[in-house]
Amino acid sequence: MTRGDEHDDGRGTAADTDPGAEGNKGNKGNERGGQGDGETRGTVLIALVANLVIALAKVAGGLIASSPALLSEAAHSVADSLNEVFLLASLSRSRRRADARHPFGYGKERFFWSMLAAVGIFVTGGCFSFYQGLHTLLNPEAEETGGYLIVYVVLAVSLLAEGASLVRATVQVRGQAKQAGRGVVAQLRRGDDPTVRTVFAEDAAAVLGVLLALAGAGLHQWTGQPAWEAGAALSIAVLLMYVAYRLGRDAKDRLVGQAVDPVLQQRALEVLTERPEIDTVTRLLTMQLGPDSALLAARMDLVDGLDSSGVERLCVELRQRIRSVCPDFDQVFLDITAADEDERRRATERRRRLRETVERQTADGG
C-alpha cells in the first residue's frame, strides 16, 4: 500500500493516501475555504464597524441620559466588537497548513475563537447588564433617567445598524443552507462554520436587546418607574447569557471532537457498502476538523478470496470515491479486520440508528 500502510494477507490497516493526492486535496480545500472565508470576513467586518460606532453612541447617550438600559446595551455592543476581533483572528489562523505538531491542520481554531467569543458575550455583556439592572432595581432613587430623546435616537440608529448587519449575516446563512441542501434553522444548528453562526447570533441578540431597551425606556418615561428599565437590563442580561451558553456549548462539542453531520456519515457509509468486496462495515468513525475538513475512519470486514494486491487496489479506489462524493473528508483511514457475529449485530444496529437519524433530519427540513 502507500505511505505507512500495512497488511497481512488482506487483514490489516489501510491508512491515508499518497502525499501527492493529499497535497492536491488540501490545496482544493484551502481554495474552496478561502472563497467562503472572503464572504465571511466581509460579514464580520460589517458587524465590527457597526458595533464600534453603536458602542460609542450608546456609551455617550447612556452617560448623558443616565439610562441603565442604554448602558446595558453599550456593554452588549462592546462585547460584540471584541468578539468580532476574535472571529477575524480565527479566519486567518484556521487556514494555516498542517505541520508536524498539528498533522490534521488548524481548522479547530475556528471553534476555539468562537468559544472565546461566547465567553466575551457572557462576561462583558451579560454580567455587566445583570449588574446594571440589579443596581437600578435596588437603588431606584439614584437612577432617574433624563434626556429620553437622546435614548430613543441612539437606540433607533442602533436598531438600523444592527438590522443591516443581521440582514447581511442572514443572506450568508441562507446561501450556506442552500448549498448544503437544508433549511436556515437546520443550517444554524448543524452548519460547520461557527464564525457566521456567531455573528448571526450576536446580531439577532443585538436587535432583540435594542427592542427591550426601547420598551424599558418607554415604560419608564410613561410610568415614572425605573424598575422598567431595570427589568429591560436584566432581560438583556438573560438574553446574552442564553446566547453565550448556546454558542459555547456548540464550540465545546466541536473542540472535544464532534462527529460530522449524520447525512454525510450516511453518504460515506453508502460508498463503502456499495462495493461487493466489502462484507460488513463494522465501525464508521468521523470527526469535524474544521469548517470544510473532516476525518473518517472505517473498520471493514472483506469477503473471502481477496489477495494483498486486491485489498490495496480496493482501498485506493474507496478513498478516491469517498473524497469524490464527500470532499470534506480530507483524512480517510480504512482498517481491514475480521468481524465476529457480535460485531456484525452491533454494526447493523448502528446503521439502523443512523438511518433513523437521517430520516428525522430530512423530515425536519435538513
Side-chain angles (χ1 to χ4, degrees):
M1 294 186 188
T2 59
R3 194 181 66 200
D5 291 350
E6 299 177 356
H7 59 83
D8 181 13
D9 294 330
R11 300 294 181 184
T13 300
D16 214 7
T17 186
D18 61 274
E22 183 66 31
N24 292 335
K25 173 63 179 65
N27 292 337
K28 291 178 181 178
N30 288 334
E31 181 180 352
R32 184 176 70 250
Q35 293 171 353
D37 284 355
E39 184 181 6
T40 300
R41 185 173 286 105
T43 299
V44 176
L45 284 172
I46 290 174
L48 175 60
V49 172
N51 280 313
L52 283 174
V53 173
I54 293 168
L56 292 174
K58 287 177 180 177
V59 169
L63 291 175
I64 293 173
S66 299
S67 170
L70 193 53
L71 288 174
S72 296
E73 271 300 294
H76 183 181
S77 295
V78 170
D80 286 350
S81 299
L82 291 174
N83 294 339
E84 258 78 67
V85 174
F86 291 156
L87 297 178
L88 285 173
S90 77
L91 291 176
S92 58
R93 294 181 64 85
S94 66
R95 285 297 165 192
R96 290 180 293 172
R97 290 186 176 277
D99 53 35
R101 292 189 63 189
H102 298 85
F104 294 116
Y106 290 81
K108 287 193 176 185
E109 287 260 11
R110 294 281 186 100
F111 310 136
F112 170 74
W113 290 98
S114 294
M115 173 69 81
L116 290 187
V119 173
I121 292 174
F122 185 90
V123 176
T124 309
C127 291
F128 180 83
S129 296
F130 183 81
Y131 164 78
Q132 191 67 37
L134 188 62
H135 182 270
T136 302
L137 198 62
L138 297 177
N139 303 277
E141 68 285 348
E143 298 291 345
E144 186 60 38
T145 298
Y148 283 100
L149 180 60
I150 296 175
V151 175
Y152 296 143
V153 169
V154 171
L155 289 176
V157 173
S158 300
L159 185 61
L160 291 175
E162 298 286 11
S165 181
L166 178 59
V167 168
R168 168 62 187 254
T170 303
V171 169
Q172 186 169 356
V173 171
R174 284 183 180 275
Q176 291 178 342
K178 183 178 180 181
Q179 186 177 11
R182 57 168 71 108
V184 173
V185 176
Q187 178 65 25
L188 288 173
R189 290 202 307 263
R190 296 190 290 272
D192 298 333
D193 189 352
T195 306
V196 178
R197 182 165 53 250
T198 301
V199 173
F200 180 90
E202 288 178 352
D203 289 341
V207 170
L208 289 174
V210 170
L211 294 175
L212 288 170
L214 280 170
L219 289 169
H220 183 183
Q221 183 182 17
W222 184 35
T223 64
Q225 298 294 324
W228 287 108
E229 280 203 71
L234 291 173
S235 298
I236 292 170
V238 171
L239 173 65
L240 294 179
M241 289 177 178
Y242 174 74
V243 170
Y245 164 74
R246 292 298 299 266
L247 292 174
R249 186 181 67 174
D250 179 74
K252 182 265 296 181
D253 289 341
R254 303 300 179 97
L255 284 171
V256 170
Q258 189 175 42
V260 303
D261 189 273
V263 174
L264 193 56
Q265 295 180 47
Q266 181 76 7
R267 289 177 189 161
L269 184 61
E270 290 171 353
V271 170
L272 295 173
T273 55
E274 70 185 8
R275 292 297 297 257
E277 300 94 331
I278 297 178
D279 182 67
T280 303
V281 178
T282 58
R283 288 304 303 264
L284 185 74
L285 304 176
T286 66
M287 183 169 62
Q288 196 73 47
L289 300 177
D292 52 14
S293 175
L295 177 149
L296 180 146
R299 180 170 295 171
M300 309 174 300
D301 185 11
L302 304 182
V303 298
D304 295 333
L306 285 179
D307 57 15
S308 179
S309 62
V311 173
E312 287 188 28
R313 185 167 56 252
L314 172 65
C315 290
V316 170
E317 292 173 356
L318 282 174
R319 284 192 291 265
Q320 292 174 345
R321 177 62 176 162
I322 288 172
R323 286 170 174 153
S324 174
V325 175
C326 310
D328 282 355
F329 285 126
D330 51 2
Q331 301 288 344
V332 178
F333 300 88
L334 304 176
D335 182 21
I336 310 302
T337 185
D340 57 30
E341 288 303 317
D342 190 48
E343 289 175 319
R344 293 172 187 274
R345 180 184 56 79
R346 290 197 299 267
T348 301
E349 178 62 20
R350 281 191 289 265
R351 287 197 298 271
R352 183 188 63 79
R353 291 199 300 266
L354 177 60
R355 183 172 60 254
E356 291 176 351
T357 301
V358 172
E359 289 173 352
R360 283 197 302 270
Q361 282 192 190
T362 303
D364 292 340

